[in-house]
Amino acid sequence: MALLRKINQVLLFLLIVTLCVILYKKVQKGTVSKNDADDESETPEELEEEIPVVICAAAGRMGATMAAINSIYSNTDANILFYVVGLRNTLTRIRKWIEHSKLREINFKIVEFNPMVLKGKIRPDSSRPELLQPLNFVRFYLPLLIHQHEKVIYLDDDVIVQGDIQELYDTTLALGHAAAFSDDCDLPSAQDINRLVGLQNTYMGYLDYRKKAIKDLGISPSTCSFNPGVIVANMTEWKHQRITKQLEKWMQKNVEENLYSSSLGGGVATSPMLIVFHGKYSTINPLWHIRHLGWNPDARYSEHFLQEAKLLHWNGRHKPWDFPSVHNDLWESWFVPDPAGIFKLNHHS
């Protein structure tokens, strides 16, 4: 009997232990499930959509980049992630300028661009050597620099944003389009076109139609061109269509056959994009790319029109940090002084 009683006690003990284990697992599972639910409920706020903005910071014009960033950050409540692209010898200076100025609160990543990817793809051109700078071709390589984003904004450094960048990011890209640009035929009025003497707004101004490779494209020389200084890009389509490879192909063909040059439309980076994206791009609201402010220091837009503009672009030779230039007061209001004292404004002859 004593033995039977001990056996019963052992069995009862084991039963109690088993019940305790089962109860513990149930409680633990419920706690984990609750935590998961809490995490999921917090996800939308924590994972607020980032708007990636890619902009280059060249050594001699880094002040332009900082002014553009300041204007973007100051005019939006959106979650912006700035990808600031530079060459290796400028990366430390870029970081110091941001971290030791009013820009220290921005969310940013510094990305190194290796100019070796351009070896053998750029034809020497003495007309406008500044257009041959490696960073001018960063826009060709967006998927190689930016990996985790579906949609990306690229901006030239000589811009000021007056609107909410969220609006530009919300630009609709048609199915199968890898990018959206602003058409050069979308200038505000014929009066403005007439004042901008020598301005090119068709393919004829960028491509040499005497060359067979250009003729064989079957593109009318009167086709309206576009400006790639402001781009909204779909990275999935860009990679799927192998846009970078296509652009490189035309760069190499230009080295071999001189199909375009900066002496034409002033766009050694624009020309291959005109070819690759012909008939396959969406359009940006014209107010999001008011350009040619750097074309002629004697040509001015009306103040009312400039106030309506969402983005101003000083493309051309006459930059707002230099002399002579126009509407430089609009640009200078966003200027962030160089903590190192290297970049200085030059508004006097």
Side-chain angles (χ1 to χ4, degrees), residues 50-66:
E50 282 183 333
I51 297 179
V53 176
V54 179
I55 189 166
C56 295
R61 44 197 285 168
M62 204 172 287
T65 306
M66 301 306 164

Side-chain angles (χ1 to χ4, degrees), residues 47 87 97 122 132 187 249 253 255 262 276 309 333 338:
L47 298 181
L87 302 181
W97 197 325
I122 301 178
L132 304 180
L187 283 172
K249 182 190 82 170
K253 285 182 73 70
V255 170
S262 62
V276 172
S333 65
D338 182 0

Side-chain angles (χ1 to χ4, degrees), residues 22-81:
I22 292 172
L23 284 172
Y24 175 79
K25 287 185 175 179
K26 283 188 175 181
V27 171
Q28 183 71 11
K29 184 177 180 182
T31 303
V32 171
S33 297
K34 183 177 182 299
N35 289 339
D36 288 345
D38 289 343
D39 289 344
E40 289 174 6
S41 66
E42 293 172 6
T43 297
E45 291 184 7
E46 292 178 352
L47 298 181
E48 178 189 356
E49 185 176 20
E50 282 183 333
I51 297 179
V53 176
V54 179
I55 189 166
C56 295
R61 44 197 285 168
M62 204 172 287
T65 306
M66 301 306 164
I69 290 174
N70 187 26
S71 71
I72 296 166
Y73 182 72
S74 301
N75 285 308
T76 187
D77 291 325
N79 182 19
I80 310 298
L81 175 57

Side-chain angles (χ1 to χ4, degrees), residues 22-294:
I22 292 172
L23 284 172
Y24 175 79
K25 287 185 175 179
K26 283 188 175 181
V27 171
Q28 183 71 11
K29 184 177 180 182
T31 303
V32 171
S33 297
K34 183 177 182 299
N35 289 339
D36 288 345
D38 289 343
D39 289 344
E40 289 174 6
S41 66
E42 293 172 6
T43 297
E45 291 184 7
E46 292 178 352
L47 298 181
E48 178 189 356
E49 185 176 20
E50 282 183 333
I51 297 179
V53 176
V54 179
I55 189 166
C56 295
R61 44 197 285 168
M62 204 172 287
T65 306
M66 301 306 164
I69 290 174
N70 187 26
S71 71
I72 296 166
Y73 182 72
S74 301
N75 285 308
T76 187
D77 291 325
N79 182 19
I80 310 298
L81 175 57
F82 292 98
Y83 285 87
V84 188
V85 185
L87 302 181
R88 176 171 294 180
N89 61 351
T90 65
L91 304 184
T92 300
R93 186 180 168 206
I94 293 170
R95 182 172 297 280
K96 285 183 177 179
W97 197 325
I98 293 174
E99 294 182 346
H100 293 84
S101 72
K102 64 186 295 184
L103 300 178
R104 64 178 65 90
E105 295 181 358
I106 70 170
N107 187 17
F108 72 100
K109 291 183 179 181
I110 296 176
V111 181
E112 179 184 353
F113 181 68
N114 185 354
M116 289 305 295
V117 299
L118 300 172
K119 188 175 182 180
K121 301 182 182 74
I122 301 178
R123 185 183 183 86
D125 192 325
S126 60
S127 176
R128 290 192 64 186
E130 73 274 14
L131 296 178
L132 304 180
Q133 296 301 315
L135 294 181
N136 201 29
F137 300 91
V138 162
R139 71 199 87 194
F140 290 11
Y141 296 93
L142 293 178
L144 301 183
L145 301 171
I146 314 300
H147 302 292
Q148 70 267 39
H149 301 284
E150 170 75 10
K151 197 175 187 182
V152 172
I153 293 174
Y154 167 88
L155 298 176
D156 276 353
D157 60 1
D158 51 355
V159 306
I160 289 297
V161 173
Q162 301 187 134
D164 187 339
I165 198 75
Q166 180 77 55
E167 295 178 24
L168 180 61
Y169 185 74
D170 289 341
T171 298
T172 301
L173 273 66
L175 187 66
H177 286 178
F181 307 99
S182 186
D183 278 332
D184 283 333
C185 297
D186 283 342
L187 283 172
S189 69
Q191 180 184 4
D192 291 307
I193 295 176
N194 292 334
R195 287 186 300 165
L196 298 170
V197 179
L199 178 66
Q200 303 293 340
N201 66 348
T202 66
Y203 274 55
M204 174 65 86
Y206 291 89
L207 305 176
D208 189 346
Y209 274 83
R210 297 170 299 178
K211 302 297 173 66
K212 184 177 184 301
I214 299 300
K215 289 180 181 178
D216 289 347
L217 290 171
I219 301 174
S220 169
S222 61
T223 300
C224 183
S225 54
F226 59 78
N227 187 299
V230 177
I231 307 172
V232 181
N234 180 315
M235 293 293 92
T236 300
E237 280 295 334
W238 192 292
K239 288 181 281 191
H240 176 69
Q241 298 179 30
R242 299 172 62 84
I243 296 294
T244 298
K245 288 295 182 184
Q246 292 188 59
L247 291 167
E248 287 184 326
K249 182 190 82 170
W250 284 101
M251 291 170 74
Q252 288 169 334
K253 285 182 73 70
N254 182 58
V255 170
E256 299 163 2
E257 304 176 38
N258 194 20
L259 304 177
Y260 53 83
S261 74
S262 62
S263 61
L264 292 171
V268 291
T270 300
S271 300
M273 297 195 84
L274 290 177
I275 296 172
V276 172
F277 284 101
H278 174 253
K280 294 182 292 185
Y281 67 91
S282 299
T283 54
I284 291 171
N285 181 334
L287 288 176
W288 270 101
H289 197 175
I290 300 304
R291 51 204 179 278
H292 309 310
L293 275 71

